[in-house]
Amino acid sequence: MVLLAAGLMAACAAPQPDPAPTPDPDPEIPAEIELAPEPLAEHRLERIEALPDEQAEPQELRAAVDAVLALDPVPEPLLERAEAAWNRLPDAEPRPLADRVRGGWLAWHRGEADLAAERLGADDPDDPTRTPEFHRRGMELHARLLEWEQQWYQALNVRFRLDSLLTLEPDLQTANHERIWGLMAALRPTQRERLGRENIVGADGWHELFGGLGRADDAAAAETFARRWQQAFPRHPANSHLPELLAASPASADPAGDAVVLLPLSGNLADLGEAVLDGITRAHYADGQGQLRVRDTRGDPRQAVALYRDAVLEGADHIIGPLQRDAVAAVADLEDHRPGVLLNRTANALPRGVTTLALDPEADARAVADRAARTGWGAGLGIIAEGAFGDRLASAWSLAAEEHGAPPREVARVDTRAGDLNDRIAAHVGIDRSRERIASVSRRLGLGLEGDPQIRADVGYIFVAGSAADVRRIAPHLHFHQASRLPMMSTPHVYPGRPDASRDRDLNGIAFPDAPGLFTEIAALGNTGAEPLREQSGLPRFYALGMDARRLAVRADTSYAAPHTTLVGTAGEWQLNPLTGDWQRTPAWARFVRGEPRRLDAGTPSD
């Protein structure tokens, strides 16, 4: 016991080792930092750019591209780097749909629409890589590409089908509805009629709503129609947009204010500028809206742009003009604008409130194809003068006819000054083939048969076009070969604006679209009587354009919210295409009878 006690005491007296340290707790792993979209895209690009191709995983490349495409807008430097990442993806054949959609959107954002279409390719329902998300994104890109090509009807069809895929994406669906409404306005009236006839998936209700609100003369009529429409379509997605549409129906005028007019009043275009100015002045003082300040562009696009800038700085409420195509394009590219009307077309993007107004030959040629489609005449024969002007008419007419499913049987280009013009026209209308058939039957039967050669039976109408002089040279040969038994149509260029029965007798039977003011008497200022528009100016169509420009200028901004509204003018009925900013014209129709044009009843287009 003594020894045990001594041992214990010794143990207590001996120095003890330090106790084992308590281990520190494991450090907390921080949660992944949530980066803002642009830094996230930058981070993912940097990570894959640091890797050689053999180490860059396809999924990481795709994630980097998706991060960039998720930005709005997409910064150009990141866009170029995302393009480089996309090009590092496996070059499989065929590429998965998701990669095609990614590549298409990259090209679209870089302004390469043709490349975007090439990369996107055609939709394949049996593609095993066709996920709902990328199918939707591909359809959206397809619609954008069709809109870029101004194939409005086809784009609208795609957006109708796309809408059902956006039910769980309310913001995207709202944007799609806005595009649908804009595309409805972009259609020509004949195309809207076609939309009402065809059984297009998703189109129910849209056509009825657009047409009904467009026909409403005032807000009360619009509300009455909207209530009836809601009863017929209680679950239609457009119901959520009715308050905004009703608030904008019909398109109202902006508050009265000062307008600046920019026109060439000296130089080569002075006569044209004066005619437009006369119409603007008449409409301005008739409506009594604000002050009118006129500036001479002298036919110089640079002067026109400088004057437009000055008008913006002066605080003009509306600007009308300039007139020349180059000047209009340059004005469209300026940073600062005022609501109003540019008096020519441009492919350049326009800000809201700035619109274009023009009497363009291509629209007249499309009106011919539209009339033929509405009346069911089928395919046409074009006999069109050679030259650049004829090229424009032939192209626009052919494309519009193809849209209606009735491409031309033939587009014959003729030299109207050639000595063999009669023989050429005879061949195009089928007289030569008819003579050959008669001769062939005569030879087979051994008889001396005689018969009148007949015009070809595979065309429903004839489109004869060119300058007024060209058409006057072609028309007598059509009468001679009895081709005038078919409906014949031309553009307004066939009629100089004043009747001349002795000169225009050979034009009998030819119908053409034109300004309704040429065939309707209008009251002159200060007079209680009335006189035709043709008595107002040596260039009556441009006088009418000026009148309409003044009235549309004060509706340029509000019409973007109500593109379904049709505004009746002197040069035609106008409707705004909000996707381009172009005012689209529905003309009146007239036909030569005993050498003078007579207005055709709009309700009976086959007259």
Side-chain angles (χ1 to χ4, degrees):
M1 288 293 292
V2 174
L3 289 175
L4 178 60
L8 289 172
M9 291 178 65
C12 291
Q16 298 296 314
D18 293 336
T22 303
D24 293 333
D26 291 336
E28 274 190 33
I29 299 174
E32 183 177 343
I33 299 174
E34 186 173 334
L35 298 175
E38 189 167 337
L40 175 64
E42 179 82 33
H43 170 68
R44 287 183 170 168
L45 286 170
E46 287 175 351
R47 189 163 59 189
I48 57 103
E49 287 167 349
L51 298 173
D53 287 347
E54 62 272 12
Q55 295 181 18
E57 292 291 334
Q59 288 309 110
E60 294 225 12
L61 292 167
R62 292 177 177 119
V65 171
D66 288 342
V68 172
L69 289 176
L71 303 176
D72 184 21
V74 182
E76 188 171 341
L78 295 187
L79 188 59
E80 295 302 321
R81 292 165 66 186
E83 173 75 11
W86 185 85
N87 282 312
R88 295 173 69 185
L89 288 169
D91 192 12
E93 190 58 45
R95 280 186 183 269
L97 173 65
D99 287 351
R100 290 191 282 119
V101 170
R102 290 182 177 102
W105 275 111
L106 286 172
W108 173 262
H109 286 301
R110 295 170 69 219
E112 299 180 73
D114 290 335
L115 179 59
E118 179 184 336
R119 287 179 174 179
L120 180 62
D123 183 34
D124 179 7
D126 298 324
D127 185 346
T129 68
R130 188 180 188 259
T131 64
E133 178 192 357
F134 281 97
H135 175 49
R136 173 185 63 76
R137 289 172 61 180
M139 285 187 70
E140 168 67 25
L141 178 57
H142 183 39
R144 294 282 187 95
L145 290 167
L146 289 170
E147 291 166 11
W148 177 75
E149 295 173 349
Q150 297 196 2
Q151 296 186 35
W152 310 124
Y153 194 87
Q154 295 86 337
L156 184 60
N157 198 332
V158 173
R159 289 207 173 272
F160 284 142
R161 290 186 283 117
L162 174 63
D163 205 58
S164 62
L165 306 179
L166 299 173
T167 305
L168 301 180
E169 300 280 356
D171 291 342
L172 295 178
Q173 191 171 49
T174 296
N176 193 55
H177 291 165
E178 291 172 356
R179 300 300 285 189
I180 285 174
W181 202 251
L183 286 164
M184 292 286 298
L187 297 181
R188 302 192 301 278
T190 306
Q191 291 176 310
R192 280 197 290 274
E193 292 171 11
R194 174 184 167 190
L195 183 67
R197 294 191 304 268
E198 295 186 346
N199 186 23
I200 296 176
V201 175
D204 287 348
W206 288 105
H207 176 264
E208 292 83 352
L209 181 61
F210 189 94
L213 291 181
R215 289 188 296 271
D217 293 330
D218 52 37
E223 289 181 4
T224 300
F225 167 79
R227 285 195 295 271
R228 291 200 306 269
W229 180 87
Q230 283 183 304
Q231 292 172 356
F233 301 95
R235 298 183 182 275
H236 197 279
N239 274 288
S240 61
H241 304 284
L242 270 180
E244 292 83 3
L245 293 173
L246 288 174
S249 299
S252 59
D254 292 338
D258 297 340
V260 172
V261 179
L262 309 177
L263 286 171
L265 303 176
S266 57
N268 295 335
L269 298 175
D271 289 346
L272 184 58
E274 289 287 355
V276 175
L277 179 60
D278 286 347
I280 291 172
T281 304
R282 177 191 176 108
H284 176 79
Y285 288 111
D287 296 342
Q289 293 210 357
Q291 188 180 36
L292 195 68
R293 299 196 293 270
V294 181
R295 305 286 185 266
D296 181 9
T297 66
R298 302 197 299 269
D300 181 354
R302 291 172 298 181
Q303 174 76 356
V305 172
L307 290 173
Y308 190 96
R309 284 197 180 101
D310 291 344
V312 171
L313 292 174
E314 291 170 10
D317 295 291
H318 306 97
I319 302 176
I320 303 173
L323 180 66
Q324 290 165 285
R325 189 179 294 268
D326 290 347
V328 167
V331 164
D333 288 339
L334 295 175
E335 291 186 2
D336 296 321
H337 298 86
R338 297 298 300 154
V341 173
L342 307 176
L343 298 173
N344 214 320
R345 301 296 189 206
T346 178
N348 299 17
L350 298 172
R352 182 185 174 101
V354 178
T355 59
T356 71
L357 186 71
L359 302 176
D360 47 319
E362 289 84 354
D364 296 324
R366 288 191 289 269
V368 169
D370 289 348
R371 185 178 180 83
R374 183 182 291 117
T375 53
W377 285 333
L381 164 66
I383 300 180
I384 302 173
E386 292 180 347
F389 182 64
D391 291 343
R392 294 169 61 187
L393 297 178
S395 176
W397 171 65
S398 299
L399 290 173
E402 289 174 11
E403 288 176 1
H404 291 301
R409 293 287 183 219
E410 182 184 357
V411 181
R413 307 302 301 279
V414 297
D415 178 358
T416 62
R417 296 182 180 275
D420 63 346
L421 180 60
N422 186 61
D423 294 337
R424 291 282 305 279
I425 291 177
H428 292 308
V429 299
I431 296 299
D432 288 356
R433 287 193 293 272
S434 179
R435 286 173 178 156
E436 289 170 4
R437 286 194 296 271
I438 293 172
S440 176
V441 171
S442 180
R443 286 193 300 270
R444 286 201 308 272
L445 298 178
L447 300 173
L449 297 179
E450 293 184 3
D452 293 329
Q454 301 298 308
I455 61 173
R456 59 197 295 178
D458 63 337
V459 297
Y461 69 99
I462 297 175
F463 176 42
V464 50
S467 67
D470 289 325
V471 177
R472 286 194 180 89
R473 296 187 188 103
I474 294 170
H477 301 291
L478 294 175
H479 288 297
F480 177 77
H481 294 298
Q482 301 184 40
S484 56
R485 288 181 295 180
L486 290 173
M488 297 188 298
M489 289 185 285
S490 189
T491 60
H493 310 90
V494 70
Y495 178 52
R498 287 186 173 84
D500 188 337
S502 60
R503 183 184 59 175
D504 294 337
R505 193 169 299 276
D506 285 335
L507 302 178
N508 283 345
I510 294 178
F512 59 97
D514 213 332
L518 285 173
F519 315 106
T520 304
E521 292 186 343
I522 58 174
L525 286 177
N527 293 334
T528 56
E531 57 183 322
L533 175 65
R534 60 179 177 266
E535 304 299 333
Q536 298 288 320
S537 168
L539 295 170
R541 295 181 180 91
F542 289 96
Y543 180 91
L545 185 71
M547 292 183 69
D548 291 351
R550 181 65 187 101
R551 290 165 177 159
L552 295 178
V554 296
R555 290 172 173 80
D557 192 22
T558 58
S559 290
Y560 273 91
H564 48 277
T565 301
T566 298
L567 301 171
V568 179
T570 308
E573 295 183 354
W574 299 97
Q575 193 158 34
L576 182 68
N577 178 349
L579 304 183
T580 61
D582 296 332
W583 287 101
Q584 301 181 115
R585 182 175 72 125
T586 300
W589 277 85
R591 185 173 57 200
F592 282 99
V593 178
R594 290 191 289 276
E596 293 190 7
R598 294 186 181 177
R599 173 81 182 264
L600 292 177
D601 184 351
T604 55
S606 59
D607 283 355

